[in-house]
Amino acid sequence: MAGPRRTSWVGALLVFPLVLTAAQAAVCDADCQMQQRSSLAELYAAAGGQGWRRQSGWDSRSPDHCSWFGVSCCGSAGTLNAPTFRSGGCTLPGGVAGLDLPLNNLTGAWPAAALAGLSNSLVYLNLRGNNLRGRLPESIGDLRQLVVLYIDDAGLSGALPAALGRLTKITQLSAAGNQFSGALPSSITELQQLRRLTVSSNALTGEFPASLLALPQLLQLDVSSNQLSGQLPIEAPAGVNSSNASLLGALTGTRNEMLAINSSRNHVSGALPAWLASFPVILLDVSYNDLSGSLPAAALGSNIVMQELLLTGNSITGSFSADMLRGSLRVLDLSSNALFGSLPALAGVLIQQLDLSNNSFTGQLPADLAQLPALEQLRLTGNDLAPMQGLPAFLALSTDAAVAVNPVGQPGLLCQPVVLADDGSSSSSSSRRRASVQLDPAVYGYQGCYC
């Protein structure tokens, strides 16, 4: 099993403000507030409140439940202000609009009855990192005002309920790190406002939910580390548009640009279809699956949106074409596949990180590597490249400390890192760190290596 991957910069963009339309035709009057306070007390009792890590207000039954830890109420202007999430709208002034109780040792079954008493006003629910047990019940669909639902690492199990499709206002649904099983309910395709869906690290089965890519507001889909199987559909599902017009629309704002698709660490098989390779997504991660076949180089090369493509740990075959780097790709990881043939000429492409390690490439190292102006890292270890008489002119030994390498039969070997040589042709060459080039030491005659 490979170690943890680096976190993509895309993740930093996936924080959305809570923006809602305030409906102020009604207010939560004294009777309403008394009923909601009773529901909160029921939640405290049902979820093991005496064992909570933070319970100020809850334990003393302070009459102002809006001041209890983790409780936020809707203001008179129909806005919700809380330090844990950005200001936004709410639906019932005076009502409980937010419950923010992550990592607070809530226990027991899902508190369905208690939450039902807040269903007319609750827009934000965060129960991440607690110790609940059992299923997420169908009654979750009664929380019709919910816009944000975080139940990651909450101890839940069983099938995700079809009633999630009734949460028509929801924009963020995150349920990673539980023990949910079965297929994703098809009703999720009804969530037309959904922007972010994260169900990673569960035990979900079924096929990759390609139909979700038709959701008009979706910006992130993370189904990684599950047990999804089957082949990716050869044709784009109904409503999914990956044409050039769609790509241009993503850039001009006439459609939402999806930021990330992560389906890594599943059992998805078949070839990477051309429609997905040309989908307007910045990050596509399908690493550690069972993909095979050749890469749709033309589709990748014409994608003017995709910047990161991670395909490590599959069984992709065929040669590697520089055509797939003619688009916007900046990070491409094809390591640990079954690619073969000679490395192509790469001069002029704007790739920053290229990982072709642990394949079956042969032949000479391309001399035009020095003509990759944006290159930061190139990994070519674990191939069958032709040996050279020392380092060629376009490569040099770094002045950084030697690092341990582990070639067969050479335990304890230390080698100086290899970088692209500075030819002095660029005025910025002295200020930009030279690109790292990782090769098997045997390829360059163990120059700069010692035991």
Side-chain angles (χ1 to χ4, degrees):
M1 182 69 68
R5 300 193 60 83
R6 62 177 173 78
T7 301
S8 168
W9 59 270
V10 173
L13 302 179
L14 297 171
V15 179
F16 308 113
L18 185 64
V19 180
L20 306 170
T21 301
Q24 302 181 51
V27 298
C28 189
D29 57 19
D31 290 339
C32 167
Q33 292 181 26
M34 182 178 296
Q35 177 269 319
Q36 291 203 336
R37 187 158 53 248
S38 176
S39 294
L40 291 173
E42 185 177 357
L43 171 63
Y44 182 76
Q50 292 186 350
W52 291 5
R53 291 185 174 90
R54 299 188 65 180
Q55 50 181 289
S56 59
W58 298 80
D59 51 354
S60 65
R61 297 293 193 274
S62 166
D64 180 16
H65 59 271
C66 295
S67 67
W68 295 2
F69 170 74
V71 178
S72 299
C73 291
C74 187
S76 59
T79 57
L80 176 61
N81 293 295
T84 51
F85 51 96
R86 299 184 185 182
S87 174
C90 45
T91 59
L92 187 65
V96 174
L99 282 179
D100 195 30
L101 299 169
L103 300 167
N104 206 39
N105 197 35
L106 275 70
T107 58
W110 180 263
L115 292 175
L118 308 175
S119 61
N120 60 343
S121 61
L122 192 64
V123 298
Y124 178 95
L125 179 58
N126 183 358
L127 298 180
R128 280 173 166 161
N130 283 290
N131 298 303
L132 300 173
R133 55 177 170 78
R135 294 174 173 266
L136 184 66
E138 291 288 335
S139 61
I140 187 68
D142 296 333
L143 303 180
R144 298 293 187 91
Q145 306 302 325
L146 268 187
V147 175
V148 175
L149 175 60
Y150 294 145
I151 49 174
D152 312 79
D153 302 300
L156 299 168
S157 60
L160 286 166
L164 287 171
R166 301 208 305 266
L167 303 179
T168 56
K169 295 184 179 181
I170 202 159
T171 63
Q172 298 185 56
L173 172 55
S174 192
N178 288 284
Q179 299 176 46
F180 291 123
S181 57
L184 275 173
S186 60
S187 60
I188 292 181
T189 59
E190 302 297 322
L191 304 180
Q192 297 296 299
Q193 303 303 315
L194 190 63
R195 292 188 171 193
R196 180 179 183 181
L197 175 62
T198 304
V199 289
S200 57
S201 300
N202 281 286
L204 297 174
T205 56
E207 297 183 345
F208 174 77
S211 59
L212 293 179
L213 303 184
L215 288 173
Q217 303 297 323
L218 194 63
L219 295 176
Q220 184 195 25
L221 174 63
D222 188 349
V223 293
S224 62
S225 299
N226 280 286
Q227 299 174 22
L228 302 181
S229 59
Q231 295 191 2
L232 294 169
I234 297 176
E235 301 292 336
V240 176
N241 185 0
S242 57
S243 66
N244 286 333
S246 177
L247 293 172
L248 291 172
L251 294 179
T252 59
T254 56
R255 71 170 300 281
N256 277 320
E257 177 184 342
M258 182 175 285
L259 292 179
I261 300 174
N262 189 346
S263 185
S264 63
R265 299 184 185 277
N266 281 285
H267 304 290
V268 177
S269 59
L272 183 70
W275 70 265
L276 188 55
S278 58
F279 195 75
V281 57
I282 289 180
L283 167 66
L284 175 60
D285 186 352
V286 203
S287 55
Y288 300 105
N289 276 275
D290 299 319
L291 296 180
S292 58
S294 59
L295 290 168
L300 290 169
S302 62
N303 193 322
I304 58 177
V305 175
M306 187 183 297
Q307 297 192 18
E308 296 190 36
L309 176 60
L310 309 179
L311 292 170
T312 185
N314 284 284
S315 299
I316 297 170
T317 60
S319 59
F320 173 64
S321 170
D323 290 342
M324 67 180 64
L325 303 179
R326 303 303 178 189
S328 297
L329 274 179
R330 298 297 178 264
V331 177
L332 176 61
D333 189 349
L334 290 171
S335 61
S336 300
N337 278 282
L339 299 169
F340 57 83
S342 300
L343 295 173
L346 298 172
V349 300
L350 298 178
I351 194 74
Q352 295 174 351
Q353 298 179 37
L354 177 59
D355 193 342
L356 300 175
S357 62
N358 298 313
N359 282 282
S360 298
F361 290 113
T362 56
Q364 300 291 328
L365 192 65
D368 63 357
L369 292 181
Q371 301 175 44
L372 300 179
L375 188 66
E376 299 172 357
Q377 184 181 74
L378 173 63
R379 297 188 64 190
L380 294 170
T381 55
N383 286 287
D384 297 314
L385 298 176
M388 303 177 290
Q389 298 299 318
L391 290 172
F394 58 87
L395 295 179
L397 294 177
S398 169
T399 57
D400 292 344
V403 296
V405 294
N406 295 293
V408 176
Q410 296 287 338
L413 189 67
L414 297 175
C415 295
Q416 302 239 185
V418 175
V419 295
L420 286 182
D422 182 6
D423 61 5
S425 62
S426 172
S427 60
S428 62
S429 59
S430 60
S431 60
R432 187 170 70 88
R433 184 176 179 85
R434 287 184 287 174
S436 167
V437 180
Q438 297 182 24
L439 292 165
D440 293 319
V443 173
Y444 54 94
Y446 294 98
Q447 184 177 340
C449 298
Y450 56 91
C451 293

